[in-house]
Amino acid sequence: MELTSRIALVTGAAHRVGKTIALALAHSGASVIVHYGRSADAARETAAEISALGVDAFPVQADLRDPAQIDALFQAVEDRFGHLDILVNSAASFVKQPFDDIDLDSWKDVLQSNLSAPFLCSQRAARLMRAVPRPAGQPALIINITDLSGLFPWPGYVQHGVSKGGLIQLTRISARELAPDIRVNAIAPGAILPPPGMSADSDQWQAIGQQVPLRRTGSPDFIGQTVIFLAANDFITGVVIPVDGGEHLLGSLK
Ligand SMILES: NC(=O)c1ccc[n+]([C@@H]2O[C@H](COP(=O)([O-])OP(=O)(O)OC[C@H]3O[C@@H](n4cnc5c(N)ncnc54)[C@H](OP(=O)(O)O)[C@@H]3O)[C@@H](O)[C@H]2O)c1
């Protein structure tokens, strides 16, 4: 897939899944804005790895819970490139909390990071994507990284599930709102990387893999490949692709 001269912004791209997406886009020739929240050193390393591939890359910090910082992020993109072709909303929190313990601050915190921020980023991205005339038949692209928790009611993941379910509906609605010059799709990863604190070698993570139809956990490369697939196919919009070893076939495993 040839993405040469395309400009891509990946949120939460300092490490883990976001970094793999950023590198996949760069390997295809795109210049990449590496957004990060707190992981400044990792973001600089990711940007350096991308630059070494011969494309432009630079890290930009923003706390996505703050709309003013989202504005500043997109201003930085505009100042550097003047427009945008691809946005991947990958940054998210992953909070598990008993239903009864959730206060309004915790609720808002998760919804701001996982749902309001992708909306505001999509809105600002759409303006930048339309800042220059687009080649015929080559819409810009927004990809939302959601979660199976947005499709199935996982106990304990109330705010997370609501935010990721909302992100799926945001994908469908914005696919209609932003057509025909911008496509919007979502990827719903399954067990791709263990959460921080759990080792990939742990019995717990291996057992999670054994529960899904393909009997294994995945890797971030599968998400990177799916991003490139979506970038290559200009006739797909409004879909949610599970990349999960078939976990979605089982309903809620949790
Ligand atoms: N890992 C999996 O197996 C899996 C499974 C299902 C879905 N997903 C989805 O795939 C995406 C990436 O997963 P991941 O495991 O790589 O994620 P992660 O490591 O948990 O988090 C990704 C990044 O999001 C950034 N972030 C979170 N809240 C932010 C905020 N308010 N402002 C700025 N940055 C913020 C953080 O950046 P900094 O470190 O720079 O602060 C963090 O490194 C997420 O949307 C996740 O829900 C992952």
Coordinates of all heavy atoms in Angstrom, one line a residue, residues 78-127:
E78 N -1.6 21.5 11.7 CA -1.8 22.5 10.6 C -0.5 23.3 10.4 O -0.2 23.6 9.2 CB -3.0 23.5 11.0 CG -3.3 24.4 9.9 CD -4.6 25.2 10.2 OE1 -5.2 25.0 11.3 OE2 -5.0 26.0 9.4
D79 N 0.1 23.8 11.4 CA 1.3 24.6 11.2 C 2.4 23.8 10.5 O 3.1 24.4 9.6 CB 1.9 25.0 12.6 CG 1.0 26.0 13.3 OD1 0.1 26.5 12.7 OD2 1.2 26.2 14.5
R80 N 2.5 22.5 10.8 CA 3.6 21.7 10.1 C 3.2 21.3 8.7 O 4.1 21.3 7.8 CB 3.8 20.5 11.0 CG 4.9 19.5 10.5 CD 6.3 19.9 10.9 NE 7.2 18.8 10.8 CZ 8.1 18.5 11.8 NH1 8.2 19.3 12.8 NH2 8.9 17.5 11.6
F81 N 2.0 20.8 8.5 CA 1.6 20.2 7.2 C 0.5 20.9 6.5 O 0.3 20.7 5.3 CB 1.2 18.8 7.5 CG 2.3 17.9 8.0 CD1 2.2 17.4 9.3 CD2 3.4 17.5 7.3 CE1 3.2 16.6 9.9 CE2 4.3 16.7 7.8 CZ 4.3 16.2 9.1
G82 N -0.3 21.7 7.2 CA -1.4 22.4 6.5 C -2.6 21.6 6.2 O -3.7 22.2 5.9
H83 N -2.5 20.3 6.3 CA -3.7 19.5 6.1 C -3.5 18.1 6.8 O -2.4 17.9 7.3 CB -4.1 19.3 4.7 CG -3.2 18.4 3.9 ND1 -1.9 18.7 3.6 CD2 -3.4 17.1 3.5 CE1 -1.3 17.7 3.0 NE2 -2.2 16.7 2.9
L84 N -4.5 17.2 6.7 CA -4.4 15.9 7.3 C -5.1 14.9 6.4 O -6.2 15.2 5.8 CB -5.0 15.9 8.7 CG -4.9 14.7 9.6 CD1 -3.4 14.4 10.0 CD2 -5.8 14.8 10.8
D85 N -4.6 13.7 6.3 CA -5.3 12.7 5.5 C -5.8 11.5 6.3 O -6.8 10.9 5.9 CB -4.3 12.1 4.5 CG -3.7 13.1 3.5 OD1 -4.5 13.7 2.7 OD2 -2.5 13.4 3.6
I86 N -5.2 11.2 7.4 CA -5.6 10.0 8.2 C -5.5 10.3 9.7 O -4.5 10.9 10.1 CB -4.6 8.8 7.9 CG1 -4.7 8.4 6.4 CG2 -5.0 7.6 8.8 CD1 -3.6 7.4 6.0
L87 N -6.6 10.0 10.4 CA -6.6 10.1 11.9 C -6.9 8.8 12.4 O -7.8 8.1 12.0 CB -7.6 11.1 12.3 CG -8.0 11.1 13.8 CD1 -6.8 11.6 14.7 CD2 -9.2 11.9 14.1
V88 N -6.0 8.3 13.4 CA -6.4 7.1 14.1 C -6.5 7.4 15.6 O -5.6 7.9 16.2 CB -5.3 6.0 13.9 CG1 -5.7 4.7 14.7 CG2 -5.0 5.7 12.5
N89 N -7.7 7.3 16.1 CA -8.0 7.6 17.5 C -7.7 6.3 18.3 O -8.6 5.4 18.4 CB -9.5 8.0 17.6 CG -9.8 9.4 17.2 OD1 -9.1 10.3 17.6 ND2 -10.8 9.6 16.4
S90 N -6.5 6.2 18.8 CA -6.1 4.9 19.5 C -6.0 5.2 21.0 O -6.2 4.2 21.8 CB -4.8 4.4 18.9 OG -4.4 3.2 19.6
A91 N -5.7 6.4 21.4 CA -5.5 6.6 22.8 C -6.8 6.3 23.6 O -7.9 6.6 23.2 CB -5.1 8.1 23.1
A92 N -6.6 5.7 24.8 CA -7.8 5.4 25.6 C -7.3 5.0 27.0 O -6.1 4.5 27.2 CB -8.6 4.2 25.0
S93 N -8.1 5.2 28.0 CA -7.9 4.6 29.3 C -8.5 3.2 29.3 O -9.3 2.9 28.5 CB -8.4 5.5 30.4 OG -9.9 5.5 30.3
F94 N -8.1 2.4 30.3 CA -8.7 1.1 30.5 C -9.0 0.9 32.0 O -8.2 0.5 32.7 CB -7.7 0.0 30.0 CG -8.3 -1.4 30.0 CD1 -9.5 -1.6 29.3 CD2 -7.6 -2.4 30.6 CE1 -10.0 -2.9 29.2 CE2 -8.1 -3.7 30.5 CZ -9.3 -4.0 29.9
V95 N -10.2 1.3 32.4 CA -10.5 1.4 33.8 C -11.6 0.3 34.1 O -12.6 0.2 33.5 CB -11.1 2.8 34.2 CG1 -11.6 2.8 35.6 CG2 -10.0 3.9 34.0
K96 N -11.2 -0.5 35.2 CA -12.2 -1.4 35.7 C -12.5 -0.9 37.1 O -11.6 -0.6 37.9 CB -11.5 -2.8 35.8 CG -12.5 -3.9 36.3 CD -11.8 -5.3 36.3 CE -12.9 -6.3 36.7 NZ -12.3 -7.7 36.8
Q97 N -13.8 -0.8 37.4 CA -14.2 -0.3 38.7 C -15.6 -0.8 39.0 O -16.5 -0.8 38.2 CB -14.3 1.3 38.6 CG -14.3 2.0 39.8 CD -14.2 3.5 39.6 OE1 -14.3 4.0 38.5 NE2 -13.8 4.3 40.7
P98 N -15.8 -1.2 40.3 CA -17.2 -1.7 40.7 C -18.2 -0.6 40.4 O -18.0 0.5 40.7 CB -17.0 -2.0 42.2 CG -15.6 -2.2 42.4 CD -14.9 -1.3 41.4
F99 N -19.4 -1.1 39.9 CA -20.5 -0.2 39.6 C -20.7 0.9 40.7 O -20.9 2.0 40.4 CB -21.7 -1.0 39.3 CG -22.9 -0.3 38.7 CD1 -23.1 -0.3 37.3 CD2 -23.8 0.4 39.5 CE1 -24.1 0.4 36.8 CE2 -24.9 1.1 39.0 CZ -25.0 1.1 37.6
D100 N -20.8 0.4 41.9 CA -21.2 1.2 43.0 C -20.1 2.3 43.4 O -20.5 3.2 44.1 CB -21.5 0.3 44.3 CG -22.5 1.0 45.2 OD1 -23.4 1.7 44.7 OD2 -22.3 0.9 46.4
D101 N -18.9 2.0 43.0 CA -17.8 3.0 43.4 C -17.6 4.1 42.4 O -16.8 5.0 42.6 CB -16.5 2.2 43.5 CG -16.5 1.2 44.6 OD1 -17.4 1.2 45.4 OD2 -15.5 0.4 44.7
I102 N -18.3 4.0 41.3 CA -18.0 5.0 40.2 C -18.7 6.4 40.6 O -19.9 6.5 40.7 CB -18.6 4.5 38.8 CG1 -18.0 3.2 38.5 CG2 -18.4 5.5 37.7 CD1 -18.7 2.5 37.3
D103 N -17.8 7.4 40.7 CA -18.4 8.7 41.0 C -18.4 9.5 39.7 O -17.8 9.0 38.7 CB -17.6 9.4 42.1 CG -16.2 9.6 41.8 OD1 -15.8 9.5 40.6 OD2 -15.4 9.9 42.7
L104 N -18.9 10.7 39.7 CA -19.1 11.4 38.5 C -17.8 11.8 37.9 O -17.6 11.8 36.6 CB -20.0 12.7 38.7 CG -20.4 13.5 37.5 CD1 -21.1 12.6 36.5 CD2 -21.2 14.7 37.9
D105 N -16.8 12.1 38.7 CA -15.4 12.5 38.2 C -14.8 11.3 37.4 O -14.3 11.5 36.3 CB -14.5 12.9 39.3 CG -14.8 14.3 39.8 OD1 -15.6 15.0 39.1 OD2 -14.4 14.6 40.9
S106 N -14.9 10.1 38.0 CA -14.3 8.9 37.3 C -15.1 8.7 36.0 O -14.5 8.3 35.0 CB -14.4 7.8 38.2 OG -14.3 6.6 37.5
W107 N -16.4 8.8 36.1 CA -17.2 8.6 34.8 C -16.8 9.5 33.7 O -16.5 9.1 32.6 CB -18.7 8.8 35.2 CG -19.7 8.7 34.1 CD1 -20.1 9.8 33.4 CD2 -20.3 7.6 33.5 NE1 -21.0 9.4 32.4 CE2 -21.1 8.0 32.5 CE3 -20.2 6.2 33.8 CZ2 -21.9 7.1 31.7 CZ3 -21.0 5.3 33.1 CH2 -21.8 5.8 32.0
K108 N -16.7 10.8 34.1 CA -16.4 11.9 33.1 C -15.0 11.7 32.6 O -14.7 11.8 31.4 CB -16.4 13.3 33.8 CG -17.8 13.8 33.9 CD -17.7 15.2 34.5 CE -19.0 15.9 34.7 NZ -18.9 17.1 35.5
D109 N -14.1 11.3 33.4 CA -12.7 11.1 33.0 C -12.6 10.1 31.9 O -11.9 10.3 30.9 CB -11.9 10.6 34.3 CG -10.4 11.0 34.2 OD1 -10.2 12.2 34.1 OD2 -9.6 10.0 34.2
V110 N -13.2 8.9 32.1 CA -13.1 7.9 31.0 C -13.9 8.3 29.8 O -13.4 8.2 28.7 CB -13.7 6.6 31.6 CG1 -13.8 5.5 30.5 CG2 -12.9 6.1 32.8
L111 N -15.1 8.9 30.0 CA -15.8 9.3 28.8 C -15.1 10.4 28.0 O -15.2 10.4 26.8 CB -17.2 9.8 29.2 CG -18.4 8.7 29.3 CD1 -18.8 8.3 27.9 CD2 -18.0 7.5 30.1
Q112 N -14.4 11.3 28.7 CA -13.7 12.3 28.0 C -12.5 11.8 27.2 O -12.3 12.1 26.0 CB -13.1 13.4 29.0 CG -14.2 14.4 29.5 CD -13.7 15.3 30.5 OE1 -12.8 15.0 31.3 NE2 -14.3 16.5 30.6
S113 N -11.7 10.9 27.8 CA -10.6 10.3 27.1 C -11.1 9.4 25.9 O -10.5 9.4 24.8 CB -9.7 9.4 28.0 OG -9.1 10.3 28.9
N114 N -12.1 8.6 26.2 CA -12.4 7.5 25.2 C -13.5 7.8 24.2 O -13.6 7.1 23.2 CB -12.8 6.2 26.0 CG -11.7 5.7 26.8 OD1 -10.6 6.3 27.0 ND2 -12.0 4.5 27.5
L115 N -14.3 8.9 24.5 CA -15.4 9.2 23.6 C -15.4 10.6 23.2 O -15.5 10.9 22.0 CB -16.7 8.8 24.2 CG -18.0 9.0 23.4 CD1 -17.9 8.2 22.0 CD2 -19.2 8.5 24.1
S116 N -15.4 11.6 24.1 CA -15.4 13.0 23.8 C -14.2 13.3 22.9 O -14.3 14.1 22.0 CB -15.5 13.9 25.0 OG -16.6 13.5 25.8
A117 N -13.0 12.8 23.4 CA -11.8 13.2 22.6 C -11.8 12.6 21.2 O -11.5 13.4 20.3 CB -10.5 12.6 23.4
P118 N -12.2 11.4 21.0 CA -12.3 11.0 19.5 C -13.2 11.8 18.7 O -13.0 12.1 17.6 CB -12.7 9.5 19.7 CG -12.2 9.0 21.0 CD -12.3 10.2 21.9
F119 N -14.4 12.2 19.4 CA -15.3 13.1 18.7 C -14.6 14.4 18.3 O -14.6 14.9 17.2 CB -16.6 13.4 19.5 CG -17.4 14.5 18.9 CD1 -18.0 14.4 17.7 CD2 -17.5 15.7 19.6 CE1 -18.7 15.5 17.1 CE2 -18.1 16.8 19.1 CZ -18.8 16.7 17.8
L120 N -14.0 15.1 19.3 CA -13.4 16.4 19.1 C -12.3 16.3 18.1 O -12.1 17.1 17.2 CB -12.9 17.0 20.4 CG -14.0 17.4 21.4 CD1 -13.5 17.9 22.7 CD2 -14.9 18.5 20.8
C121 N -11.5 15.2 18.2 CA -10.4 15.0 17.2 C -10.9 14.8 15.8 O -10.4 15.3 14.9 CB -9.5 13.8 17.7 SG -8.5 14.1 19.1
S122 N -12.0 14.0 15.7 CA -12.6 13.8 14.4 C -13.1 15.1 13.8 O -13.0 15.4 12.6 CB -13.8 12.8 14.5 OG -13.4 11.6 15.0
Q123 N -13.8 15.9 14.6 CA -14.3 17.2 14.2 C -13.2 18.1 13.7 O -13.2 18.7 12.6 CB -15.0 17.9 15.3 CG -15.9 19.0 14.9 CD -16.6 19.6 16.2 OE1 -15.9 19.9 17.2 NE2 -17.9 19.8 16.2
R124 N -12.1 18.2 14.5 CA -11.0 19.0 14.0 C -10.2 18.5 12.9 O -9.8 19.2 12.0 CB -10.0 19.3 15.2 CG -10.6 20.4 16.1 CD -10.2 20.2 17.6 NE -10.8 21.2 18.4 CZ -12.1 21.2 18.8 NH1 -12.9 20.2 18.4 NH2 -12.6 22.1 19.6
A125 N -10.1 17.1 12.9 CA -9.5 16.4 11.7 C -10.2 16.7 10.4 O -9.6 17.0 9.4 CB -9.4 15.0 12.0
A126 N -11.6 16.6 10.5 CA -12.4 16.8 9.3 C -12.1 18.2 8.7 O -12.0 18.3 7.5 CB -13.9 16.6 9.6
R127 N -12.0 19.2 9.6 CA -11.7 20.5 9.0 C -10.4 20.5 8.3 O -10.2 21.1 7.2 CB -11.7 21.6 10.1 CG -13.1 21.8 10.7 CD -13.0 22.7 11.9 NE -14.3 22.6 12.7 CZ -14.4 22.8 14.0 NH1 -13.3 23.1 14.7 NH2 -15.5 22.7 14.6

